[in-house]
Amino acid sequence: MKKQSILCSIYLALGVSLLLGGCTKLDEEVYDQVLETSYKPTDKDIPSIIGSAYTPLRTVMIGWQGDFDLQEEPADIIVTPVRPNGWYDGGTYQRMHKHEWNAAEWQPINSWNQNYRGINTVNRILSQIDEGSIPVSTGKAELIAELKGLRAFYYSVLVDNHGNVPLAVNFKDASLPKQSARADVYKFVEKELLDNLALLSTKNDQTTYGRFNKWAAHATLARLYLNAEIYTGTPQWEKCIEQCNEIIDKGPFVLESNFKTNFLTNNHTSKELVFAVPFDEILATGNTIHMKTLATAHLNVLEMAAQPWGGNCAVPQFIDTYDPDDTRLKDTWLQGPQRNVSTGALILTYTKPVPSIDSTGFFDGFRIGKYEIKAGARNALSVDYPVFRLAGILMMKAEALLRTNKAADAAVIVTNVRKRAFPAPNAAKATVTGAQLLLGSSYKYGWQNKDGSIAEYQGGDDIPFGRMLDELGWEFAAEGQRRQQLIRFGVYHRKTWFNHRPKNDGKKRILFPIPQVEIDKNPNLVQNPDYK
């Protein structure tokens, strides 16, 4: 179990304190609730109190049907095919891959619920602070700013996935919330972050790790502005660059010389992570990416304490875009022979081909190996989930520069990020030019037949700035960003990949639907376009 000072105090202090309290005093009186009237918190209790506002982040980002699934399953890097051990799951993964989900699909619903769980908790704590039931004698303004920043982050996920959502900010308001237009939710997120920036902490140590500080706010704003044209119809490239520069020029972050450092079991020590969600295999579970991707037989490779479920894998067409000398290919994907860590005996071999989303073998497809899976791994990893890292900030700036006719400047940044992926003797391959970034994508878009051949070939030459899209794929594969990238580059609704074709009904499905269960409960809600 790794050490993280803020991990336990912020994300799990409430639960841990309750668990520990009854271990030695067997004669104490036990209650199943703590009434507000009998609870008198002090400043020392603040980490425990606000921890409940952060806890939903684990599920929001990479929990079951969290943002990771919503960003990757409908996109062109990862697919979850039917395996001999299952994974049909009522057809949900086929529908996600083919963009055939509806307003009752459980994946978008769960993401909606978890984001609003976080928002509701923030609203409750803010209300309690305001009325004095949570006494804060020092740092009150800073604490409120942190909570409002965190709430804005939750809404930044909702504005991307669902768009036209209710803005709930008053915990005491029992009326049914009204729906806000996507552009208005965007403005809310922007204003909340800008209004509270000055009060957010600039510290970057174990006292702020996993908490929403000034650097996390700048990063969230940069991402918001990067996608502003999608959210509002008006691009904000210069604003994106400004926010990136705040982190690049004033922040304490540096690119790690080793790409894998960002995804190791103890990655909380990485100097590249700007904002991460802490996980622990025992105290803060939920990082189960390895369980979903590894074949069941991989249990015997790593002598794991839990048997993997053997689901998702890489789309072969994406794997084919890599330069074979790019170290990120092996750093991101488990491939080829897998041997027992103790005996060296061959257990299985992962192969690149994946015949079909409807039927494939146990070991077909490369598996996500980006996040360190240590020997003896449990069903949860202690690898923290990077939401923002410096490489991402640099690449956001590079993309914004590229889109404002500064391709040469963008190329300098992209080259800098690529350097660690092409060590000697392949160092020359790290260099990319502005002219190259203006080219199309190397992705061979089209329908994949069961024998691996590509029908209905489209290619990627016609994608504006397609080489930049490729760069984003190679650097951030399996980091829950691909859907957003494909939408921004105009690929999401018009290209064919693996067993996905664009819809011929004119519905782009850029947004996920408002969950039908929410519309049934609240007559103020109107379904998103494409689902009416």
Side-chain angles (χ1 to χ4, degrees), residues 39-101:
Y39 178 56
K40 304 299 181 184
T42 66
D43 287 348
K44 294 181 179 180
D45 297 305
I46 296 301
S48 297
I49 293 168
I50 68 170
S52 59
Y54 280 94
T55 300
L57 275 180
R58 297 204 303 273
T59 308
V60 163
M61 299 314 298
I62 58 172
W64 205 254
Q65 302 97 43
D67 194 62
F68 182 92
D69 287 344
L70 294 190
Q71 294 292 330
E72 300 292 357
E73 291 290 350
D76 63 353
I77 291 180
I78 292 172
V79 65
T80 303
V82 175
R83 304 276 183 187
N85 61 321
W87 287 101
Y88 178 69
D89 287 12
T92 188
Y93 297 107
Q94 281 79 1
R95 290 192 295 274
M96 293 296 285
H97 180 70
K98 298 176 181 179
H99 296 191
E100 295 176 351
W101 56 79

Side-chain angles (χ1 to χ4, degrees), residues 219-482:
T220 305
L221 279 167
R223 186 177 66 179
L224 188 75
Y225 291 139
L226 184 70
N227 294 283
E229 187 171 15
I230 302 299
Y231 300 158
T232 71
T234 302
Q236 299 289 355
W237 308 120
E238 294 298 338
K239 287 185 177 180
C240 175
I241 293 170
E242 289 173 7
Q243 295 301 319
C244 291
N245 283 340
E246 287 292 322
I247 300 171
I248 296 167
D249 297 338
K250 301 177 184 178
F253 311 100
V254 296
L255 285 177
E256 291 287 351
S257 58
N258 188 333
F259 178 75
K260 288 293 288 184
T261 300
N262 296 298
F263 312 100
L264 297 176
T265 298
N266 292 317
N267 63 338
H268 63 285
T269 63
S270 170
K271 297 177 181 178
E272 187 172 324
L273 299 189
V274 177
F275 181 54
V277 178
F279 283 89
D280 185 272
E281 62 184 17
I282 296 175
L283 296 178
T285 58
N287 187 344
T288 58
I289 291 176
H290 66 306
M291 296 295 289
K292 186 176 178 182
T293 192
L294 295 181
T296 55
H298 212 106
L299 165 76
N300 298 316
V301 174
L302 296 174
E303 299 174 354
M304 297 172 64
Q307 180 169 292
W309 308 321
N312 61 27
C313 62
V315 173
Q317 288 157 288
F318 175 70
I319 295 298
D320 288 339
T321 66
Y322 280 94
D323 184 310
D325 292 323
D326 188 335
T327 59
R328 292 170 297 189
L329 175 57
K330 290 186 177 180
D331 285 343
T332 302
W333 306 103
L334 291 173
Q335 52 194 278
Q338 305 294 306
R339 300 180 180 277
N340 179 274
V341 293
S342 297
T343 67
L346 178 65
I347 304 298
L348 60 94
T349 299
Y350 289 129
T351 57
K352 183 181 70 175
V354 182
S356 167
I357 194 172
D358 297 316
S359 179
T360 194
F362 279 116
F363 309 134
D364 293 337
F366 293 170
R367 307 306 166 94
I368 302 171
K370 194 168 205 174
Y371 307 92
E372 183 182 22
I373 311 166
K374 66 180 184 179
R378 303 168 182 261
N379 63 0
L381 298 179
S382 290
V383 183
D384 298 340
Y385 184 67
V387 179
F388 298 112
R389 52 189 178 92
L390 183 60
I393 306 303
L394 290 167
M395 294 295 267
M396 281 195 276
K397 179 179 178 179
E399 182 182 336
L401 287 169
L402 184 64
R403 293 180 183 275
T404 52
N405 302 314
K406 300 180 181 67
D409 293 337
V412 172
I413 296 174
V414 175
T415 297
N416 187 37
V417 172
R418 286 172 57 87
K419 284 181 179 179
R420 62 187 173 190
F422 292 95
N426 301 304
K429 287 189 174 184
T431 301
V432 63
T433 67
Q436 288 174 318
L437 292 181
L438 294 173
L439 297 175
S441 168
S442 61
Y443 199 115
K444 295 180 180 179
Y445 286 98
W447 179 271
Q448 183 196 281
N449 294 319
K450 290 186 177 180
D451 64 0
S453 62
I454 304 299
E456 305 170 30
Y457 182 78
Q458 298 170 338
D461 290 343
D462 60 334
I463 300 172
F465 313 118
R467 172 58 188 269
M468 186 69 199
L469 177 62
D470 289 350
E471 294 289 348
L472 295 176
W474 300 325
E475 180 69 21
F476 304 109
E479 290 188 53
Q481 300 183 27
R482 191 58 172 180

